[in-house]
Amino acid sequence: MAQQERAVRTRNALIESAAELFTKDGFDVVSLSTISTRAGVSNGALHFHFASKAALASAVWEAAAQRLRRITLEGRARSEAAATAGGAGVAGSGGSLQLLVDTTHALLRGLRHDVILRAGFDLSESPVPVAAGADLRRRWQTWVEGVLAEAAREGALARDVSPQDAAHAVVAATVGFGALGSRNAQWLSQSMLTRFWALLLPRLATGAALKGLVASGRREGTAGVDGVPPPFRATARSGA
């Protein structure tokens, strides 16, 4: 059992070290010996777990994909819990649009603090021979498109807004913030994303839907009076 635990710790250390170095220096530049040194393990131990740098990159991507899936699943669970607790159904809790806002905030928090998640997105644009279909950005886009399609069915999108066009805007912004955040963490801040949503939501949502939306996202412990988050205000952009 102790040997198995050591093997798991070694593998995780290699994945995290690889993610840090891929993000910092790029996949093509980083050598396996640099990764093993960073992880504090021998080259033999690295090759025991990973046959090549491509195999290690694939493991980094898989770990990042699990993190993205957890972010979206937890966002969905919180949204459903809020709808149940509020007793007003999905629409009364802000519906799918609020789910989208909340999950984008969770994603940027993850990109700010989790180097493996950042590396997974970076590898999606790199000519790395990762597993087929290993494109984290495409997975994120598919999820965003699905949530906006739900918002359209709820009647929350403005009549002249298409879910696909809205998804393109949201994905471009969030992925762009992630890329810029590698140089300047301010791009990954809550205030930056809140200003984006304060600008977009009045164009995206119907007037009725807009009243219940929180551009800064709903997080546990940040609710307003009686546990209800403060409603969206168009003036949220002011002084942000």
Side-chain angles (χ1 to χ4, degrees), residues 27-28 37 52 101 164 166 181:
F27 172 82
D28 292 334
T37 299
S52 65
V101 172
Q164 187 174 36

Side-chain angles (χ1 to χ4, degrees), residues 19-159:
E20 291 173 355
L21 291 167
F22 290 162
T23 298
K24 178 176 176 287
D25 299 325
F27 172 82
D28 292 334
V29 174
V30 176
S31 67
L32 288 176
S33 60
T34 304
I35 294 170
S36 61
T37 299
R38 179 69 169 252
V41 303
S42 67
N43 284 331
L46 186 153
H47 285 286
F48 174 80
H49 290 280
F50 302 104
S52 65
K53 189 166 65 169
L56 185 48
S58 180
V60 170
W61 186 89
E62 289 290 347
Q66 290 175 9
R67 284 159 165 77
L68 178 61
R69 177 172 171 77
R70 184 165 63 246
I71 286 170
T72 57
L73 288 176
E74 289 177 353
R76 176 77 66 181
R78 282 193 299 270
S79 178
E80 293 174 352
T84 301
V90 172
S93 67
S96 295
L97 281 180
Q98 189 64 59
L99 165 62
L100 178 59
V101 172
D102 294 346
T103 307
T104 59
H105 278 285
L107 175 64
L108 260 62
R109 285 195 299 274
L111 291 171
R112 188 162 65 245
H113 299 297
D114 189 337
V115 69
I116 292 177
L117 184 62
R118 289 199 303 274
F121 274 92
D122 289 344
L123 287 170
S124 295
E125 70 171 8
S126 175
V128 178
V130 187
D135 186 340
L136 218 56
R137 294 179 181 183
R138 181 59 199 168
R139 289 198 178 191
W140 171 238
Q141 181 174 341
T142 298
W143 187 87
V144 171
E145 288 173 348
V147 172
L148 282 164
E150 292 174 12
R153 290 192 292 271
E154 293 165 8
L157 292 187
R159 185 169 298 180

Side-chain angles (χ1 to χ4, degrees), residues 171-209:
V171 171
T174 50
V175 171
F177 289 159
L180 292 166
S182 63
R183 299 294 184 93
N184 182 349
Q186 182 62 28
W187 287 101
L188 297 175
S189 67
Q190 182 185 23
S191 62
M192 184 67 72
L193 187 57
T194 298
R195 290 198 293 271
F196 165 75
W197 280 118
L199 180 68
L200 185 63
L201 284 173
R203 178 67 183 86
L204 199 62
T206 63

Side-chain angles (χ1 to χ4, degrees), residues 194-195 198 215-216 232-240:
T194 298
R195 290 198 293 271
S216 58
F232 175 86
R233 295 180 179 85
T235 54
R237 296 192 297 270
S238 301

